[in-house]
């Protein structure tokens, strides 16, 4: 959920990268337009409408309405074959607009924002087709990832609130974060999971700790300190800690981290290890530590990947090892090279 400029394309593609969910069948479609409608799964309908004399502009609107159901039908085929399916609806805001246009042409009574009264049912029956089948029925599953575009960051609009009430949570992408270089531009405060920690492994749940609370405090303090130039040392330290947390959450395009890498990164971040370098070098230090940890602590990394518990002993091993690596001459040399390249 977010504005069009918040780069939701890269965010959803990171969910489809092979290996992220094992090896799923991914059913993904693009919205129809006069340029690409003929190439979509609904091509037979496109040809039929074109043969009946409909112009391409009308056909595009019809395709916008039909496309998610065609995608869901293809996904259900693989689900009943025992496969795990991820289907991305991009985006349901345009789907609602297409349905509104069709309803108004049919003379149906408009409701809020001129949408027909059953627009909620339109999306609820679509998203509730996602399911997990029992072993007797093949054990397949279909996970729905709907995309919703907001206007000026307004999550209280009609369609966004409908989707929020149907789904198990939302990831809110904020354009201001995107333009400031923070990508993926996830707003931690507005992003919610109703599943909660049930979807996390025990190690991940323990590694996260107070991360969300720390980020919320940092954002509040950042706004407050914009109007003050005289800051005490404690405030400066808290701001530096918050900035380091923001930077370690940045990811390269189509470069998701494994569970073990996430746990190592979070543990070291919560131990304030990234505060010992300039903010601009935080990502370089993170990548350096992950590379060293994977090369020298392969057995521990494998245990974390397989869901081992994050005990106090394991946490201390991660912190002690990474602290030594962060302070050694190898990283200092790396930092000097990057500083010279920047200059």
């Amino acid at each position: 959920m977010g504005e069009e400029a918040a780069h939701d394309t890269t965010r959803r593609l990171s969910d489809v990268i092979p290996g992220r969910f094992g090896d799923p069948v991914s059913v993904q479609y693009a919205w129809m337009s006069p340029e690409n409608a003929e190439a979509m799964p609904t091509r037979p309908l496109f040809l039929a409408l074109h043969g009946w004399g409909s112009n391409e502009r009308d056909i595009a609107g019809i395709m916008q309405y039909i496309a998610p159901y065609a995608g869901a039908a293809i996904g259900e085929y693989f689900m009943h074959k025992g496969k795990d399916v991820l289907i991305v609806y991009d985006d349901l805001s345009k789907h609602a607009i297409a349905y509104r246009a069709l309803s108004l042409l049919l003379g149906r009574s408009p409701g809020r924002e001129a949408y027909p009264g059953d627009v909620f049912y339109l999306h609820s029956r679509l998203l509730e087709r996602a399911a997990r089948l029992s072993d007797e029925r093949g054990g397949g599953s279909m996970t729905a990832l709907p995309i919703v575009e907001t206007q000026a960051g307004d999550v209280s609009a009609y369609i966004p609130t409908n989707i929020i009430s149907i789904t198990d949570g939302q990831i809110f992408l904020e354009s201001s974060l995107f333009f400031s270089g923070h990508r993926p531009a996830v707003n931690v405060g507005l992003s919610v999971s109703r599943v909660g920690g049930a979807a996390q492994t025990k190690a991940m749940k323990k590694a996260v700790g107070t991360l969300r609370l720390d980020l919320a405090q940092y954002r509040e303090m950042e706004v407050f300190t914009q109007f003050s130039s005289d800051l005490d040392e404690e405030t400066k330290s808290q701001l530096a800690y918050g900035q380091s947390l923001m930077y370690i959450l940045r990811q390269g395009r189509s470069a998701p981290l494994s569970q073990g890498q996430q746990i190592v990164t979070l543990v070291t971040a919560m131990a304030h290890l990234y505060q010992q370098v300039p903010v601009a070098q935080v990502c370089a230090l993170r990548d350096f530590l992950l590379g060293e940890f994977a090369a020298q602590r392969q057995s521990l990394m494998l245990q974390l990947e397989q869901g081992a518990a994050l005990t106090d002993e394991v946490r201390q091993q991660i912190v002690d090892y990474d602290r030594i690596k962060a302070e050694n001459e190898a990283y200092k040399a790396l930092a000097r090279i990057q500083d010279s390249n920047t200059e």
Side-chain angles (χ1 to χ4, degrees), residues 274 277-278 280-292 322 325-343:
Y274 296 102
V277 297
Q281 301 297 331
V282 167
C283 293
L285 175 58
R286 178 199 60 192
D287 297 339
F288 174 79
L289 293 179
L290 287 177
E292 290 291 311
D322 284 349
K325 287 294 181 180
E327 294 172 351
N328 71 5
E329 291 298 326
Y331 176 71
K332 292 178 182 178
L334 175 66
R336 285 196 296 269
I337 292 173
Q338 291 186 340
D339 286 341
S340 62
N341 292 337
T342 303
E343 294 175 0

Side-chain angles (χ1 to χ4, degrees), residues 139-181:
S141 68
M142 186 165 73
T143 301
L145 181 61
I147 308 294
V148 182
E149 182 182 341
T150 60
Q151 301 295 326
D154 183 15
V155 296
S156 61
Y158 189 29
I159 301 303
T161 53
N162 280 352
I163 304 301
I164 288 174
S165 63
I166 297 170
T167 57
D168 294 323
Q170 70 270 1
I171 299 174
F172 184 74
L173 304 177
E174 190 174 348
S175 58
S176 61
L177 289 175
F178 176 81
F179 290 123
S180 66

Side-chain angles (χ1 to χ4, degrees), residues 13 33 54 74 97 109 149 169 233 271 296 334 343:
L13 283 178
S33 66
S54 301
I74 296 173
I97 291 173
S109 300
E149 182 182 341
E233 291 300 323
Q296 304 297 330
L334 175 66
E343 294 175 0

Side-chain angles (χ1 to χ4, degrees), residues 1 9 28-29 31 52 72 83 100 107 148 150 157 211 218 225 229 232 244-245 255 278 304-305 307:
M1 181 175 297
T9 300
Q28 188 170 0
Y29 65 89
W31 281 114
W52 293 336
K83 303 292 186 179
R100 178 175 62 183
V148 182
T150 60
L211 177 65
Y218 162 70
T225 55
S229 58
D232 57 70
S244 68
L245 291 180
L304 294 175
E305 295 286 359

Side-chain angles (χ1 to χ4, degrees), residues 72-116:
I74 296 173
E76 287 176 335
Y77 168 82
F78 289 107
M79 178 178 67
H80 288 290
K81 292 288 185 179
K83 303 292 186 179
D84 294 323
V85 180
L86 170 67
I87 179 165
V88 180
Y89 298 112
D90 181 19
D91 65 85
L92 293 186
S93 300
K94 293 182 176 64
H95 183 235
I97 291 173
Y99 182 59
R100 178 175 62 183
L102 292 174
S103 298
L104 292 176
L105 288 173
L106 293 173
R108 300 182 62 187
S109 300
R112 178 180 170 184
E113 297 182 19
Y115 289 107

Side-chain angles (χ1 to χ4, degrees), residues 32-44 46-47 56 63:
M32 309 304 161
S33 66
E35 290 77 20
N36 66 7
E38 189 174 358
M40 291 298 115
T42 49
R43 185 172 183 270
F46 170 87
L47 295 177
E56 293 185 348
M63 293 296 147

